[in-house]
Amino acid sequence: MKEMGYDVVTLGNHEFDLMPQGLARILNSAHQKRGMPHIVFSNPVFHPGSSEDDTLEESFKNGIVKHYIIKEIQGIRIGIFGVLGKEAAEVSPFARPMKFRDPIETSHEMVKILREKEKADWVFCLSHGGLRKNKSLSEDERLAKEVPGIDLIVSGHSHTKLKKPLMVDQTLIVQAGVHGEYVGVLDLAREKGKMRLNGYKLVEVDDSIQADEKIQKRVESYIGLINER
């Protein structure tokens, strides 16, 4: 992911499928070998009375996973944090004994830190909460309504292909489907101190796109290794 050019990612429910120890092994291995994008995850709750999530807690303490980061791009300070939504937390049984704080409560706290302490111009949330047709179940729309101060929510979990961004109050929401079928391209500008949408499109990922030779060779080597083992 780092070599593909990702700057920042967050964790979703499937990152916990191998339990906290398994996730910690993956993170530590990537950190030691080729590195990885920044990982932001703001609502973990580690169990003080259990050792089963200690190795993952250690990864957080060592800064492999951070609650938030600040990226400065073209003079704009962008604060980025990540949350796991309530429904995603409910379908993460293998995360136990680890739990997750309420994403709205966490987001209020992150916005306050990023705006007041870190002096961020823009605040972006990477949310594994999702969007639903039933508005009462549409977690990222609720997040936008209930937490002022988030400029952009990059949504996940619900596999929603948004052909155009949603605007909920003052917050822009985007999501680009599932399984890497599309790359969402969002073009933003700063105008009179505010964020403005310049353009948005979904680029379909298919065989018409030339593979990166170096990464393709690595993928093929992994396929060989997996088949062998």
Side-chain angles (χ1 to χ4, degrees), residues 91-102:
V91 292
S92 302
F94 298 112
R96 296 188 188 105
M98 187 181 176
K99 293 184 178 178
F100 307 98
R101 281 183 67 201
D102 180 85

Side-chain angles (χ1 to χ4, degrees), residues 34 74 115 150 158 190 215:
R34 293 189 180 89
Q74 297 178 18
R115 292 284 183 191
I150 301 174
S158 58
R190 182 164 62 172
I215 291 177

Side-chain angles (χ1 to χ4, degrees), residues 109-122:
E109 189 179 284
M110 287 295 107
V111 168
K112 186 176 173 66
I113 290 169
L114 292 168
R115 292 284 183 191
E116 296 178 13
K117 180 186 168 191
E118 299 290 355
K119 308 299 180 191
D121 298 306
W122 295 349

